[in-house]
Amino acid sequence: MTNQISSLDSTTADLITIRKQLLDLLCQLAYREGNFVLSSGQSSSYYINGKYVTLHPLGALIIGRLLLSMLPEDTQGVAGLTLGADPIVTAVSVVSVYENRPIPALIIRKQAKGHGTMSYIEGPVLETNAKVVVLEDVVTTGASAMMAVNRLREAGYQVDQIFSLVDRQQGGREFYEKEGIHFESIFTISELQENLNKIRSRE
């Protein structure tokens, strides 16, 4: 793979360098063109399967570092809707220990657990009104991450920020703004497609 750097280097490389590496990984591993139906029900000529990168050892390390650097200092937990956000919140939580700011990870079920605690939320129980940031791989309309926000708020947590790897620029940001939620993405789909064109021009 072009511009590949080792996992060891990624632990100390500057954030600008690893951001570019993540962009290449997303373009080369996660981005596909064709005819797809998204979880939102919309049709699309391209699809981003973030799990090809979030479950990649180098991808997970880079994602953990980048998203941790974006979190406010008073963040007390990170959470996301299963399945796409599971490796993301885990990566951030693991990296946070090495950065001496340990942050627990929570996983939000789409349906309540059918046995035991019958809970929507898996992970450590945080203090009431703890500040939790929701993480997502790809945002389209914003509905998936908003489901996580609502579940967390119902559990008594303070949630007013969502961070994602990629913004497809199809209404998610505007939806969150109307809901009073601050939204940031590491990349927009425009950045991915521009970088992909550069990669193809070199081949």
Side-chain angles (χ1 to χ4, degrees):
M1 181 176 298
T2 58
N3 297 324
Q4 183 79 12
I5 59 178
S6 71
S7 296
L8 181 61
D9 290 339
S10 296
T11 62
T12 56
D14 64 85
L15 295 177
I16 294 176
T17 298
I18 63 173
R19 183 181 184 275
K20 178 58 170 67
Q21 177 66 10
L22 178 58
L23 180 60
D24 287 343
L25 284 173
L26 287 167
C27 288
Q28 296 174 10
L29 300 181
Y31 186 93
R32 296 287 184 274
E33 293 179 342
N35 296 312
F36 303 97
V37 177
L38 308 178
S39 60
S40 63
Q42 297 180 11
S43 298
S44 177
S45 60
Y46 68 89
Y47 181 69
I48 303 169
N49 189 339
K51 288 181 284 297
Y52 281 112
V53 176
T54 61
L55 291 168
H56 186 286
L58 178 58
L61 175 61
I62 291 173
I63 287 165
R65 286 195 59 201
L66 287 173
L67 286 175
L68 182 66
S69 73
M70 295 167 63
L71 296 179
E73 287 298 323
D74 59 351
T75 300
Q76 295 170 273
V78 289
L81 191 69
T82 196
L83 174 69
D86 295 1
I88 300 175
V89 299
T90 302
V92 172
S93 185
V94 170
V95 171
S96 74
V97 176
Y98 288 94
E99 296 291 334
N100 296 313
R101 54 175 300 201
I103 299 174
L106 304 175
I107 292 173
I108 316 302
R109 293 176 177 271
K110 295 178 182 178
Q111 301 293 332
K113 188 175 181 180
H115 59 280
T117 61
M118 310 292 285
S119 176
Y120 278 103
I121 301 175
E122 297 291 349
V125 177
L126 309 181
E127 63 184 60
T128 301
N129 208 39
K131 185 170 183 179
V132 179
V133 176
V134 167
L135 306 179
E136 180 70 287
D137 54 357
V138 180
V139 164
T140 304
T141 64
S144 294
M146 196 64 205
M147 184 184 299
V149 170
N150 291 332
R151 295 299 184 201
L152 291 161
R153 287 176 172 175
E154 290 168 3
Y157 299 135
Q158 178 185 347
V159 189
D160 55 19
Q161 296 187 81
I162 296 173
F163 296 158
S164 75
L165 303 184
V166 181
D167 177 9
R168 286 181 58 111
Q169 299 176 297
Q170 290 181 261
R173 180 179 298 275
E174 293 77 12
F175 171 64
Y176 295 142
E177 287 179 355
K178 291 179 181 177
E179 295 293 328
I181 294 174
H182 175 73
F183 172 67
E184 289 184 45
S185 65
I186 297 178
F187 302 110
T188 63
I189 185 59
S190 299
E191 290 176 286
L192 256 70
Q193 291 174 333
E194 180 181 351
N195 189 64
L196 185 62
N197 288 333
K198 291 179 181 178
I199 292 173
R200 288 170 173 170
S201 68
R202 295 196 298 263
E203 294 177 348

